Amino acid sequence: MKLDLIKDQWLEIVFEGRNKVYGAYELRKTNQKTTVRALIIGSFLFFLAIAMPLIIDMIPDSQDDTSLDTKITTVKLPPKEKPKENIPPPPPPPPKVDQVKFVKPVVAKAEEVVEEPPKIVEIKDKKIGDETIKGDPDAELTVEPVGNGPADVVEDNNIYNTAGIEVKPDFPGGMAKFYKYVGNNYRTPEEEGLSGKVYVTFVVEKDGSLTDIKVIRDIGFGTGKEAIRVLKSCPKWNPGEQNGKKVRVLYSLPITIQAAE
């Protein structure tokens, strides 16, 4: 006998002698109905999804209520400025020299010439304008106020260091002569065993004089005071220069003191 799988004959053969109350038997028995039902429902939903845009187009659109509440806001405009009244027009400046009307040269027939252009002699030492005006030779001449000229040059009173100066200050005859001058004029205190160095700084001014003499370190017994005295009596130096101008330069001087043997 040929077995048809579509019909329920195979199901009876499979579950012959078995418990048919078990759920598997009922599921397989109703499988054909369930499949057909699922196919019909699925086909309906598929066609419904395809036809949905067409159905939506057939539905008439609801008219929107375009009536809106209009809120009116009051805006205050700035008041218009009233034109100033009773303001006389500015008077035209009086001509100081004669002015001759300039007539543009136009090519025309001789009988059509209405006004001839001025001659060179007539416009010599005169202004050219749209009309002829007689100048007033007695009119007052106005002269622009004279300026104060360039501002005063600020004097350079800065104190420069010898390390960065273009032209260093120098003692007349050279620094060897300066050291000799200090050695000859310095009075060493008569103290037994006195030796050491006295450090002094001073400023060589623009005129070569020595100012702001200070003792940085001394060895006592009036050695620093004596150094100040010698420098104050020193002749003028050749001042230092920066950018072609004389400037103030700070100078330092060590004075060595040795005890007489």
Side-chain angles (χ1 to χ4, degrees), residues 68-83:
L68 300 175
D69 295 335
T70 303
K71 185 177 181 180
I72 300 175
T73 304
T74 303
V75 179
K76 292 184 179 181
L77 297 177
K80 295 182 179 180
E81 295 183 359
K82 295 182 179 180

Side-chain angles (χ1 to χ4, degrees), residues 48-256:
L48 180 62
I50 294 176
M52 184 62 67
L54 184 61
I55 296 174
I56 294 175
D57 293 339
M58 295 175 62
I59 299 175
D61 297 336
S62 59
Q63 296 181 355
D64 297 333
D65 187 8
T66 58
S67 61
L68 300 175
D69 295 335
T70 303
K71 185 177 181 180
I72 300 175
T73 304
T74 303
V75 179
K76 292 184 179 181
L77 297 177
K80 295 182 179 180
E81 295 183 359
K82 295 182 179 180
K84 298 181 179 180
E85 300 178 355
N86 301 327
I87 298 178
K96 298 179 182 179
V97 297
D98 294 346
Q99 178 174 301
V100 180
K101 180 180 179 181
F102 177 75
V103 180
K104 294 182 180 180
V106 179
V107 179
K109 296 180 180 180
E111 59 272 11
E112 295 179 356
V113 176
V114 180
E115 187 176 4
E116 294 184 358
K119 298 179 181 179
I120 297 178
V121 180
E122 297 176 355
I123 63 176
K124 185 179 180 181
D125 299 330
K126 297 179 177 64
K127 292 183 177 180
I128 305 299
D130 297 334
E131 58 181 346
T132 301
I133 301 175
K134 187 65 177 177
D136 184 6
D138 298 330
E140 296 182 1
L141 296 177
T142 58
V143 181
E144 294 293 333
V146 180
N148 296 327
D152 296 335
V153 179
V154 179
E155 187 177 0
D156 187 4
N157 288 323
N158 295 327
I159 298 177
Y160 291 82
N161 195 288
T162 54
I165 198 71
E166 293 178 356
V167 179
K168 296 181 179 180
D170 191 18
F171 187 79
M175 294 305 296
K177 192 172 182 179
F178 171 69
Y179 294 139
K180 185 177 180 181
Y181 167 82
V182 174
N184 293 335
N185 291 274
Y186 190 89
R187 301 171 185 172
T188 305
E190 296 180 359
E191 292 291 335
E192 185 178 355
L194 181 63
S195 63
K197 286 187 178 182
V198 178
Y199 291 90
V200 185
T201 61
F202 54 89
V203 176
V204 181
E205 297 290 341
K206 299 177 183 179
D207 60 352
S209 60
L210 306 185
T211 62
D212 198 16
I213 303 172
K214 296 180 180 178
V215 178
I216 305 302
R217 190 183 71 182
D218 63 3
I219 55 178
F221 302 100
T223 53
K225 187 176 180 180
E226 178 63 15
I228 294 176
R229 184 194 67 81
V230 173
L231 293 176
K232 283 185 176 181
S233 61
C234 179
K236 288 188 176 182
W237 287 41
N238 299 320
E241 294 184 7
Q242 184 75 7
N243 298 326
K245 296 182 180 180
K246 296 179 180 180
V247 293
R248 306 170 68 197
V249 181
L250 179 66
Y251 207 93
S252 59
L253 174 68
I255 301 175
T256 303

Side-chain angles (χ1 to χ4, degrees), residues 15 19-28:
F15 282 90
N19 185 10
K20 295 182 179 181
V21 182
Y22 185 61
Y25 176 79
E26 293 295 330
L27 288 175
R28 286 173 174 79

